[in-house]
Amino acid sequence: MMYAINRCRVTNVIMSNVRSMHLLKEKAFVNGKWSAAENQQTFDVYNPANGKVVGSVPDMDVSDANLAIKAASEAFETWKLTTAKERSKLLRKWFDLLEANAEGIAEIMTAESGKPLTEAKGEVVYGNAFIEWFSEEARRINGEIIPSPVATRKILVEKFPIGVVGLITPWNFPHAMITRKAGAALAAGCTCVIKPAEDTPLTALAICQLAHEAGFPEGVLNVITCDRKNAPDIGKLLCTSPNVAGISFTGSTYVGKLLNQQCAPHIKRVGLELGGNAPFIIFDSANIDKAVQGALASKFRNCGQTCVSANRFLVQENVYDEFVNKFTEEIKKMSIGDGVNPGVNVGPLINEMQFNKVYTMVEDAKKLGATIKTGGQPIENLGKLFYTPTVITNVSASMQVYNEEVFGPVATIIKFQSEEEVLKVANNTERGLAGYFYSQDISQIFRVSKLLEVGMVGINEGLISTVEAPFGGIKESGIGREGSHYGIDEYTYIKYMCVGNLG
Ligand code: NAP
């Protein structure tokens, strides 16, 4: 059985709280102005919890994207000449406004993404922190003087902004995926054309309104909105336009590969944050209660729709039963519903595509003999996109849940015997974003951290993202790092200047 949504169309805005009203924009933002699509088309944004329309935004195409690129390109000529302190001050002002409007942004985010309000508030804190961080990092993009082998020469190294950057972002973190990129780009002196996901453009426009209020010059930050059918053409334009110096993308590995191919002939700078398939390993020596708490946070945040979510729980045989029982009991206590309701900790899936994917994967596991410890079905009385938090055991290598990123509230648990065996299973994937393990054995901690083929490791921790640390993957999970002081490198190039014939 597959689910399709009968959208309940309610025209106009349904935001209940006035706090968010001035942030709820229904135009895109190009060259410092709120703009409609040239062809006047719009598309609706739906609340996944109830299918109602939250707002309508311009359905832009390549002609609008070209205008945004032109504006960003012209703005770059002056923005690149601003001092680090000037950029830092503007970013700080933006951060202060983001902080002052945190509640309103979170309300919009919950309405369009379905994530529980407490989680949305958490994302706003996290997302805002990138603007604060990069307002500080803007003033530390230091050069270097390297000792010259020739007495009459000086070797100077300086970092410069690469130019206009295209930022393409997903729906699962509608705020933080933008600020993690745009904060670094603006700090470095680049200008931006941002294309948010079809499902969550309103959060992007809300934070853009606050950037506008902060006083960024015209054309420095542009947001173009479009629905799914226009995304490939706009993406292609950003990858091939001679006026765009680089692309930063967060989303699926499939689209990331496509963008990488499109950029290759033009030798553009590419930053990719793609899908994961995170192992979550519990060794015999682990503190099981802490492992259960870490597992819950890692798996069920954002209804499991997080690229660093634990995707495969691998539990050593002596603690297997204890972990499975305690984890399952905690999951049964979870409160599922519309994210605006207090106490809800799991919301709906984002759209029918995601819902159908999760539904199909669990049905496949059932058919191939897996055991459903809890959940394993939709919750139709709540709405069309709700799925019960699920635990699956007796998983085999032929099942989709074993091989693919679930991106939903479904935990698969597999028993293992030795460290050697579990490392083989954990690394037997083309993905390499995050990995987690729980162990109290210090030698094992260093050994396993070294051998896990991922860009980020949580050791006795289930939530590890923070602005100070570099976020990114290896293998097919991506190229480059975001956040931290490394994040700026994606948006600068190094220039070597040789001053010769010195007296
Ligand atoms: P997606 O389909 O790749 O979409 C991501 C963004 O790319 C959206 O803005 C989308 O626009 C746009 N897009 C789609 N097709 C495009 C194309 N041909 N050219 C240019 N842009 C295109 O991914 P998703 O379904 O939103 O997100 C789920 C996947 O992203 C998961 O696999 C997850 O692991 C990964 N993810 C990774 C990270 C990370 O940091 N590594 C973070 C979040 C998600 P539309 O919305 O209009 O289609």
Side-chain angles (χ1 to χ4, degrees):
M1 182 176 59
M2 301 283 270
Y3 283 80
I5 298 175
N6 285 322
R7 298 289 197 191
C8 166
R9 292 188 59 86
V10 176
T11 47
N12 287 327
V13 165
I14 54 144
M15 301 301 302
S16 56
N17 202 318
V18 272
R19 258 195 310 244
S20 18
M21 291 309 287
H22 95 283
L23 296 177
L24 195 66
K25 310 304 288 187
E26 297 194 273
K27 291 265 167 65
F29 192 72
V30 177
N31 203 19
K33 286 167 202 71
W34 292 104
S35 316
E38 275 201 327
N39 61 18
Q40 300 303 316
Q41 297 295 304
T42 60
F43 67 95
D44 292 335
V45 181
Y46 298 95
N47 183 331
N50 55 28
K52 290 180 180 167
V53 176
V54 186
S56 286
V57 296
D59 189 7
M60 294 181 139
D61 59 23
V62 288
S63 65
D64 303 286
N66 257 319
L67 290 177
I69 293 170
K70 185 168 178 283
S73 193
E74 284 168 9
F76 180 63
E77 292 310 309
T78 44
W79 183 246
K80 70 181 179 189
L81 302 177
T82 53
T83 65
K85 187 169 178 181
E86 286 166 338
R87 295 194 298 278
S88 169
K89 276 174 85 172
L90 271 175
L91 283 162
R92 179 73 210 191
K93 213 164 161 195
W94 188 16
F95 167 71
D96 290 339
L97 286 165
L98 289 165
E99 287 286 279
N101 289 278
E103 295 267 335
I105 302 168
E107 281 165 9
I108 290 174
M109 192 190 297
T110 291
E112 68 176 352
S113 76
K115 69 172 68 177
L117 195 54
T118 42
E119 271 190 37
K121 286 179 185 170
E123 182 185 336
V124 174
V125 170
Y126 176 59
N128 291 357
F130 284 106
I131 302 304
E132 180 187 40
W133 173 261
F134 285 116
S135 77
E136 294 158 356
E137 284 301 294
R139 299 181 69 183
R140 298 189 197 110
I141 306 175
N142 298 327
E144 198 180 358
I145 299 176
I146 296 175
S148 165
V150 180
T152 55
R153 285 186 180 179
K154 238 185 194 344
I155 297 175
L156 309 178
V157 172
E158 202 174 341
K159 291 180 183 171
F160 292 96
I162 60 172
V164 176
V165 289
L167 311 179
I168 303 176
T169 56
W171 43 261
N172 61 349
F173 288 90
H175 176 357
M177 294 305 101
I178 291 176
T179 54
R180 196 159 76 182
K181 296 176 191 303
L186 295 169
C190 295
T191 55
C192 314
V193 177
I194 301 166
K195 196 221 81 67
E198 179 198 71
D199 292 304
T200 56
L202 298 172
T203 306
L205 296 173
I207 61 178
C208 177
Q209 162 65 19
L210 297 169
H212 184 40
E213 287 174 28
F216 283 93
E218 283 177 2
V220 166
L221 188 146
N222 306 274
V223 179
I224 50 173
T225 52
C226 70
D227 75 3
R228 262 188 191 97
K229 73 176 178 334
N230 287 340
D233 286 347
I234 290 180
K236 191 167 180 193
L237 175 70
L238 289 169
C239 292
T240 54
S241 165
N243 293 323
V244 177
I247 293 289
S248 179
F249 169 78
T250 296
S252 61
T253 300
Y254 172 78
V255 174
K257 284 182 181 178
L258 183 72
L259 297 177
N260 202 18
Q261 279 165 12
Q262 290 172 352
C263 284
H266 307 274
I267 323 289
K268 288 203 198 297
R269 188 72 69 85
V270 181
L272 301 172
E273 299 289 352
L274 309 176
N277 184 1
F280 193 110
I281 306 167
I282 295 135
F283 287 104
D284 280 344
S285 69
N287 176 323
I288 298 303
D289 291 333
K290 289 202 170 125
V292 167
Q293 289 314 312
L296 288 168
S298 173
K299 179 72 239 179
F300 293 100
R301 188 167 58 121
N302 201 14
C303 198
Q305 303 169 113
T306 306
C307 53
V308 289
S309 261
N311 202 45
R312 296 165 291 158
F313 289 90
L314 304 158
V315 188
Q316 203 156 11
E317 54 187 350
N318 289 338
V319 291
Y320 180 85
D321 289 338
E322 184 187 356
F323 177 81
V324 171
N325 292 337
K326 286 184 169 171
F327 187 47
T328 306
E329 285 316 303
E330 289 299 318
I331 289 167
K332 285 181 184 165
K333 292 181 203 157
M334 285 183 151
S335 169
I336 306 135
D338 186 334
V340 291
N341 297 326
V344 163
N345 33 42
V346 179
L349 288 148
I350 186 75
N351 55 35
E352 40 197 294
M353 215 155 47
Q354 278 298 126
F355 179 91
N356 289 338
K357 189 178 160 210
V358 170
Y359 181 84
T360 307
M361 283 174 110
V362 177
E363 292 305 305
D364 168 77
K366 282 184 194 168
K367 229 181 285 151
L368 295 175
T371 304
I372 308 293
K373 298 288 286 182
T374 183
Q377 73 251 330
I379 319 177
E380 287 164 35
N381 62 325
L382 285 180
K384 302 277 187 184
L385 299 177
F386 289 91
Y387 199 88
T388 31
T390 300
V391 175
I392 307 182
T393 57
N394 282 327
V395 175
S396 67
S398 59
M399 296 173 187
Q400 288 175 27
V401 287
Y402 182 91
N403 295 299
E404 293 171 35
E405 186 185 26
V406 181
F407 231 57
V410 178
T412 56
I413 310 184
I414 298 155
K415 195 188 283 186
F416 72 90
Q417 284 165 348
S418 69
E419 182 184 302
E420 197 188 0
E421 174 200 351
V422 79
L423 280 167
K424 268 199 196 122
V425 175
N427 291 335
N428 186 20
T429 164
E430 321 227 284
R431 308 290 177 85
L433 191 59
Y436 308 85
F437 67 93
Y438 278 68
S439 166
Q440 309 271 37
D441 173 345
I442 190 74
S443 300
Q444 184 173 55
I445 284 175
F446 285 108
R447 207 168 45 237
V448 173
S449 303
K450 186 171 166 183
L451 294 174
L452 273 180
E453 296 170 2
V454 292
M456 297 172 280
V457 187
I459 304 143
N460 298 323
E461 285 291 346
L463 289 179
I464 58 172
S465 301
T466 178
V467 297
E468 292 80 2
F471 188 104
I474 60 168
K475 301 198 217 167
E476 292 192 1
S477 286
I479 301 171
R481 291 295 178 267
E482 293 192 334
S484 77
H485 69 84
Y486 298 102
I488 294 268
D489 295 346
E490 307 294 318
Y491 300 97
T492 58
Y493 69 90
I494 290 171
K495 186 177 280 180
Y496 152 50
M497 289 162 283
C498 178
V499 186
N501 288 303
L502 295 168

